[in-house]
Amino acid sequence: MAKKLSFVVVSNNSNTEFIPFLKEVLDSMISPIYGPQEKALFSILQSVDRRCEVLLSTVEPSSSPGTQPSPPVPLGLVVYKIKPTDEFARFGVTNSVEIKTLCLADPSKSSGKGYGSALLDQVIEYARKNGANGAHVTVSN
């Protein structure tokens, strides 16, 4: 059986079964640092100004008859602004997609396996397809 990685966009209109995973990440990883995330969650689920993509792992069934695939397992997620921005032009960052959140579901098990890079690559691909120069992330203290 081989592992297959894929991405799904999570919103009120698609892949709603992963909304609890999104909420768990926001509550356990983001809220302790930045405070309540209700506004961000609303923006994501309504696709107001940001998009959430979840990286999934699915174990492909063997070729044996009647073997069913396992349910997909979320490995991590990335949330980014939908429209490129010039908000940080004073720092030389123009026409760039802002990454709001990028995290692994369980870093102790999945760190070093390329999942974080896959999440970052997904945003870069989105940025290029949408005419942006690249992607950026802001860091606050």
Side-chain angles (χ1 to χ4, degrees), residues 5 15-16 20 35 42 45 47 58 67-68 73 77-78 82 84 96 100 102 109 118 123 131 135:
L5 298 179
N15 302 298
T16 57
F42 176 84
L45 296 180
S47 302
T58 307
T67 306
Q68 298 294 319
V73 176
L77 63 76
V78 63
I82 295 170
S96 182
K100 301 300 286 179
L102 189 153
K109 291 182 183 176
V123 178

Side-chain angles (χ1 to χ4, degrees), residues 124-136:
I124 292 169
E125 181 180 332
Y126 173 88
R128 287 187 180 140
K129 285 181 179 177
N130 287 278
N133 295 335
H136 69 278

Side-chain angles (χ1 to χ4, degrees), residues 30-52:
I30 308 303
S31 290
I33 299 168
Y34 295 104
Q37 295 296 299
E38 287 82 11
K39 183 178 173 187
L41 181 62
F42 176 84
S43 293
I44 293 165
L45 296 180
Q46 298 298 321
S47 302
V48 172
D49 68 342
R50 56 196 77 195
R51 177 176 174 149
C52 174

Side-chain angles (χ1 to χ4, degrees), residues 74-134:
L75 298 173
L77 63 76
V78 63
V79 176
Y80 53 91
K81 292 275 188 108
I82 295 170
K83 293 181 182 174
T85 181
D86 290 329
E87 182 180 358
F88 297 97
R90 68 182 184 271
F91 300 109
V93 178
T94 59
N95 191 34
S96 182
V97 172
E98 182 179 358
I99 298 170
K100 301 300 286 179
T101 303
L102 189 153
C103 60
L104 298 175
D106 187 350
S108 66
K109 291 182 183 176
S110 49
S111 186
K113 295 184 178 179
Y115 302 145
S117 295
L119 290 162
L120 181 58
D121 290 346
Q122 187 72 2
V123 178
I124 292 169
E125 181 180 332
Y126 173 88
R128 287 187 180 140
K129 285 181 179 177
N130 287 278
N133 295 335

Side-chain angles (χ1 to χ4, degrees), residues 6 23-24 41 44 112 135:
S6 60
K23 287 180 179 179
E24 178 186 327
L41 181 62
I44 293 165

